[in-house]
């Protein structure tokens, strides 16, 4: 089994970053402030995408093999972000929260 390529993960992470900063397709969305409708802060959403895509695995045919696990790990991070007393089990490994790209 393999994970999504670093290039794909970086693209998804940057999409989330630009979306959260209100800088996605500035020509099309120039006069529209969509951020309040989508999120309050961008960094938490960026980490959610990061964890989901870092944990997501695909087989040799490109088929996702662990979507539920990837969603659960992202949900655990959200829970901990909203409730610091929540202990993530098992604790996150460095590769799960590694930001890929510039």
């Amino acid at each position: 089994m393999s994970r999504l390529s670093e290039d794909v993960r970086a693209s998804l992470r940057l999409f989330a970053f630009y979306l959260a900063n209100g800088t996605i397709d500035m020509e099309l969305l120039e006069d529209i402030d969509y951020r309040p409708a989508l999120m309050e802060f961008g960094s938490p959403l960026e980490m959610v995408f990061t964890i989901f895509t870092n944990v997501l695995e695909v087989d040799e045919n490109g088929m996702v093999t662990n979507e539920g696990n990837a969603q659960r790990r992202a949900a655990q991070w959200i829970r901990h972000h909203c409730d610091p007393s929540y202990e993530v089990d098992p604790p996150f490994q460095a590769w799960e929260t590694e930001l890929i790209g510039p």
Side-chain angles (χ1 to χ4, degrees):
M1 299 209 173
S2 62
R3 291 189 171 73
L4 293 174
S5 70
E6 284 190 11
D7 189 52
V8 171
R9 290 184 281 152
S11 293
L12 290 170
R13 183 190 67 81
L14 287 173
F15 174 77
F17 178 79
Y18 295 142
L19 183 69
N21 283 314
T23 56
I24 194 162
D25 199 338
M26 291 180 62
E27 182 180 336
L28 180 63
L29 299 172
E30 182 177 350
D31 298 319
I32 301 169
D33 186 8
Y34 58 84
R35 292 174 298 167
L38 300 178
M39 78 274 321
E40 187 173 340
F41 301 104
S43 294
L45 182 60
E46 180 180 19
M47 185 55 68
V48 169
F49 274 86
T50 294
I51 292 169
F52 179 78
T53 57
N54 285 350
V55 172
L56 197 67
E57 295 178 353
V58 296
D59 65 18
E60 59 279 350
N61 298 315
M63 301 300 294
V64 174
T65 61
N66 73 335
E67 185 174 10
N69 185 48
Q71 288 182 15
R72 173 123 178 106
R73 293 302 277 167
Q76 286 178 306
W77 188 89
I78 293 167
R79 171 73 187 267
H80 181 71
H81 179 74
C82 295
D83 175 8
S85 68
Y86 174 76
E87 292 188 33
V88 176
D89 185 29
F92 288 112
Q93 296 181 33
W95 65 267
E96 291 178 288
T97 59
E98 178 184 9
L99 296 173
I100 306 295

